[in-house]
Amino acid sequence: MQEMFDFLGIKISLLITGGISGIIGARAEDKKGFFNYLFRAFGGAMTTTYITPMLVDSFHLSENSSYGVGFLIGLTSMNLVQVLLKICSDVEFIKTMIPTKR
């Protein structure tokens, strides 16, 4: 099983951190329901697993700080997704981001 996680680039410790912080984020927003908790746990786990190593590397943070960074990412992951979806739905904003030749 560990070989599969290694192949996918998943650190189990970050996966667990993201899942727990996703559930805490759902609880803090007072969102109830099994599927909401499950979705938040999965979303938190996935965003933490894949975004944390990128941020830790980009900002030259220590390996120990990756758990704190991962927790914050998992906690706010669904809010970040909502912001990104809103930005992506704004066609005029997207047009301003695309370079054009003049």
Side-chain angles (χ1 to χ4, degrees):
M1 176 85 92
Q2 180 64 40
E3 293 171 357
M4 180 183 71
F5 284 124
D6 290 342
F7 177 75
L8 295 173
I10 295 174
K11 292 183 179 179
I12 295 176
S13 57
L14 288 177
L15 190 70
I16 293 168
T17 300
I20 291 170
S21 60
I23 291 171
I24 292 171
R27 183 81 175 139
E29 290 182 5
D30 202 27
K31 304 251 180 161
K32 294 188 172 41
F34 174 75
F35 289 109
N36 183 55
Y37 285 126
L38 185 66
F39 181 72
R40 292 290 297 243
F42 179 77
M46 290 298 101
T47 54
T48 297
T49 298
Y50 291 109
I51 294 176
T52 300
M54 180 181 66
L55 289 179
V56 168
D57 187 52
S58 296
F59 292 107
H60 308 291
L61 302 172
S62 70
E63 186 68 28
N64 289 335
S65 64
S66 67
Y67 300 108
V69 171
F71 183 81
L72 293 174
I73 290 170
L75 194 61
T76 60
S77 62
M78 294 298 104
N79 297 333
L80 294 173
V81 168
Q82 289 173 350
V83 168
L84 288 173
L85 289 175
K86 185 171 176 97
I87 289 171
C88 291
S89 68
D90 186 359
V91 175
E92 293 304 316
F93 177 76
I94 293 172
K95 286 180 182 177
T96 63
M97 300 301 291
I98 299 172
T100 58
K101 290 184 178 180
R102 293 195 176 196

